[in-house]
Amino acid sequence: MGAEKTDATADHTSKGEFSDVSGHDGESLQGPSRYTLQRKLKNRHIAMISIGGVIGTGLFVGTANSLSYGGPIGLLLGYIVMGTIVYCVMISLGEMVAYLPIPGGHIKLAERFVDPAFSFAMGWNYWYDWAIGSPAEIAAAALLINYWNYTVNDSVWVVICLAVVVAINMLGAGAYGEAEFIFASIKVITITGLIILGIIIDLGGGPNRDRIGFRYWKNPGPFVQYNGIQGAKGRFLGWWAVLIQAAFSFIGTEIVAIAAGEAKNPRHTLPKAIRRVYIRILLFYIGGTLVIGLLVPSNNPLLVLNSGTAQSPFVIAIETAGIKFLPSIINACLLTSAWSNSSSSLYTASRAIHGLAASGNAPKIFLKTTRNGLPYVAVLFTAIFSFLAFMAVSKGAGSVFNWLSDMTSVAGLMTWFGISVTYLRFYKGMQVQGIDRKTLPYYTNLQPYAAWWGVVSTITICFFSGWSVFLEGSWNTATFVTNYILFITWPILYFGARLYYGTKPIAAADMDFKRDIAEIVADSYEEPPPKNKMEAFWQWLM
């Protein structure tokens, strides 16, 4: 497959800051900098990146805090609400990237349909989101390893995890896709097995023969009175506290947009991946949280992640049921999940900053790629920020995971906000220019209402994300900063870029729906028909 041309042409300002950089001078690692991203991700890579690529520590580990905050019903309702937001964001994103699967994903789409300054803010926010996400996952990995050994310093585990993650990404998109396919397969099998095992344990099928049923929904109860606040107010606050952690679990669902620029046959693979989002939400997230709420009481002390003895709720349940050896096996699977998510974070952040450079919003050095299409400068620069995971050495892996996951959650919510706003402008442009959305590779009848739900819900959750620090006697500077730094930085980036570059929102009549279409169509092809039932099943699955 030939090299994908970098989309860097735009109608920008007189200052020329958002200029075409596709013909920049310089040398790559193996030759001229003309080498760009290439379409190396196959159908099965995109399928697994979409279905299992971001199932990870948020669901396996972060739900411990959520259960202790909201109780089993609060946990379940929080994930259901967040699931509706994610679904609405993804069908909005899916309609755009299936039509225009370009390098930079939604960052470049924001430049084309909203405002170059909006793309600037959205791009740096997205890079920050994933650059911080990688050390968060590495801290979670250290927390999981502590299950077996408390005596070894966390810095050892951080170094090992970091080395594996950087190595995978430096081998290129093909190697990342293969590694992610394997890791994601392990995660999908693990979470499916855990849900089935959880149901068996709940019904009394464990070695201790204890039929749990809905016992913990009665005692200690379906909800937690957050911070000791009684009545409906305490229960509501407990449920609200679940939302920000639930966001961390779902963050990364949009990664298929960034991978679109390196996907083979994108107009076939991307709609297929988007249509399966609801399966992951219902089966893995809703099913997983339901089982967790059945098996573990919300007052279990091992659920508190900054306690130094925290464990995954699944591991707690299996140990309580008296199943020997399996907790260690499950913990090992969860560890590969943390590795996988850290690798995904580094991959996504590096492609985000490459897209920023393609728009002139980041130094041109980040456009440098090897002959095989690896943006090595972007990868190495972003990997530097993974060293934040070393904070786990002095502050404890659980506390660092909480801080970094909060920052990632808010940044991710702001990304979803940006995607929803971009879709509303995309939708308006289609209307004004008389383009029938039914002719697109993917569309739904839920628009534009789904996008509006995405806009309103994400900004509301971000605004109230750090509310707990304002409770009497609960002020915590670290919590305040990690929850609000991105919420405050976004408008500064946007309006600062508008003032500096002199940009303005793009009128619906002036939106460009034609550029890159010829190349995208040339990269699309009909999948060969299956030769037998096994191939037919594999095509359906992948």
Side-chain angles (χ1 to χ4, degrees):
M1 190 66 69
E4 172 69 9
K5 185 182 292 184
T6 303
D7 174 24
T9 308
D11 297 324
H12 291 314
T13 67
S14 59
K15 284 198 175 187
E17 304 294 344
F18 293 89
S19 60
D20 185 349
V21 295
S22 59
H24 70 282
D25 296 326
E27 296 295 318
S28 74
L29 190 62
Q30 300 183 25
S33 55
R34 65 180 179 273
Y35 304 125
T36 55
L37 302 183
Q38 298 176 11
R39 297 194 183 277
K40 292 187 174 183
L41 297 178
K42 302 175 183 177
N43 289 8
R44 60 188 177 86
H45 297 153
I46 295 297
M48 271 303 173
I49 288 171
S50 171
I51 296 174
V54 291
I55 295 174
T57 53
L59 179 60
F60 292 136
V61 180
T63 44
N65 268 347
S66 288
L67 181 58
S68 67
Y69 290 155
I73 298 295
L75 172 67
L76 182 61
L77 291 179
Y79 269 75
I80 289 174
V81 171
M82 190 57 63
T84 66
I85 297 171
V86 172
Y87 182 74
C88 289
V89 170
M90 285 305 296
I91 62 175
S92 301
L93 179 62
E95 189 169 315
M96 295 187 291
V97 297
Y99 178 67
L100 285 170
I102 56 178
H106 46 279
I107 300 169
K108 293 295 293 179
L109 293 172
E111 176 188 304
R112 188 177 291 197
F113 301 119
V114 184
D115 179 354
F118 194 80
S119 174
F120 177 89
M122 194 171 172
W124 280 108
N125 173 82
Y126 197 62
W127 171 82
Y128 174 91
D129 179 14
W130 287 100
I132 295 297
S134 183
E137 298 291 346
I138 292 174
L143 182 67
L144 289 167
I145 294 172
N146 285 338
Y147 171 78
W148 294 297
N149 193 324
Y150 281 105
T151 60
V152 178
N153 192 288
D154 280 340
S155 60
V156 175
W157 312 130
V158 171
V159 169
I160 294 173
C161 293
L162 185 57
V164 172
V165 167
V166 173
I168 289 172
N169 277 269
M170 287 303 293
L171 290 174
Y176 163 77
E178 291 296 341
E180 195 56 39
F181 179 80
I182 295 170
F183 282 142
S185 298
I186 293 173
K187 287 189 286 187
V188 170
I189 293 170
T190 300
I191 186 61
T192 303
L194 285 173
I195 291 173
I196 295 172
L197 177 62
I199 294 172
I200 293 172
I201 293 174
D202 185 68
L203 295 177
N208 61 3
R209 302 299 179 187
D210 182 16
R211 184 183 177 91
I212 301 172
F214 290 87
R215 178 190 308 164
Y216 299 133
W217 288 32
K218 300 175 182 177
N219 182 27
F223 290 93
V224 170
Q225 303 297 147
Y226 188 85
N227 206 37
I229 300 172
Q230 297 302 309
K233 181 180 179 181
R235 292 191 292 273
F236 173 80
L237 292 178
W239 166 77
W240 189 266
V242 172
L243 289 180
I244 197 71
Q245 188 281 319
F248 177 73
S249 296
F250 282 108
I251 294 300
T253 311
E254 74 290 337
I255 195 175
V256 291
I258 291 294
E262 296 175 90
K264 292 183 177 181
N265 199 14
R267 287 198 160 183
H268 171 79
T269 57
L270 294 175
K272 195 173 182 180
I274 296 296
R275 290 189 185 99
R276 289 176 172 165
V277 168
Y278 77 92
I279 297 176
R280 177 164 38 143
I281 294 172
L282 290 176
L283 176 61
F284 300 141
Y285 288 99
I286 306 305
T289 52
L290 174 62
V291 168
I292 288 171
L294 290 173
L295 298 180
V296 183
S298 57
N299 58 1
N300 189 309
L302 292 176
L303 294 174
V304 183
L305 290 183
N306 58 6
S307 65
T309 58
Q311 296 178 12
S312 164
F314 289 108
V315 173
I316 295 172
I318 294 170
E319 284 188 330
T320 304
I323 303 176
K324 298 180 179 180
F325 305 113
L326 188 57
S328 287
I329 296 173
I330 296 301
N331 207 62
C333 293
L334 304 190
L335 180 59
T336 65
S337 171
W339 248 324
S340 166
N341 280 33
S342 184
S343 178
S344 292
S345 296
L346 182 54
Y347 169 84
T348 308
S350 63
R351 270 51 177 187
I353 202 168
H354 180 278
L356 283 166
S359 300
N361 296 339
K364 293 181 181 179
I365 191 173
F366 293 118
L367 282 173
K368 290 194 173 192
T369 63
T370 64
R371 190 180 300 273
N372 294 323
L374 170 70
Y376 65 97
V377 177
V379 171
L380 292 175
F381 174 76
T382 302
I384 294 172
F385 291 84
S386 295
F387 285 95
L388 288 171
F390 281 102
M391 291 192 301
V393 177
S394 59
K395 298 296 183 182
S399 296
V400 172
F401 174 74
N402 281 336
W403 295 338
L404 294 178
S405 63
D406 283 348
M407 296 170 76
T408 301
S409 297
V410 175
L413 286 167
M414 291 306 296
T415 292
W416 296 347
F417 167 78
I419 290 171
S420 300
V421 170
T422 302
Y423 178 81
L424 290 173
R425 297 302 301 150
F426 174 88
Y427 183 89
K428 183 66 174 178
M430 285 264 172
Q431 277 189 323
V432 170
Q433 297 188 27
I435 301 173
D436 185 1
R437 291 174 50 247
K438 293 182 179 180
T439 63
L440 301 181
Y442 174 81
Y443 82 98
T444 74
N445 293 320
L446 297 177
Q447 301 293 6
Y449 312 107
W452 275 114
W453 172 235
V455 169
V456 174
S457 59
T458 53
I459 205 71
T460 301
I461 294 171
C462 282
F463 185 79
F464 293 105
S465 63
W467 58 269
S468 61
V469 301
F470 298 106
L471 296 175
E472 185 176 354
S474 298
W475 176 259
N476 186 299
T477 303
T479 301
F480 177 82
V481 171
T482 54
N483 277 278
Y484 287 114
I485 186 171
L486 257 296
F487 190 63
I488 296 170
T489 303
W490 175 284
I492 294 174
L493 287 172
Y494 174 57
F495 290 108
R498 282 194 63 177
L499 289 172
Y500 183 77
Y501 297 124
T503 64
K504 60 181 180 180
I506 299 170
D510 297 330
M511 292 178 187
D512 184 0
F513 289 96
K514 297 181 179 179
R515 182 162 31 106
D516 299 308
I517 293 298
E519 295 169 12
I520 293 166
V521 171
D523 279 328
S524 301
Y525 51 87
E526 289 296 325
E527 296 286 336
K531 298 177 182 178
N532 49 53
K533 291 184 178 180
M534 180 58 70
E535 284 192 6
F537 173 76
W538 184 253
Q539 282 193 8
W540 170 82
L541 184 64
M542 293 292 130

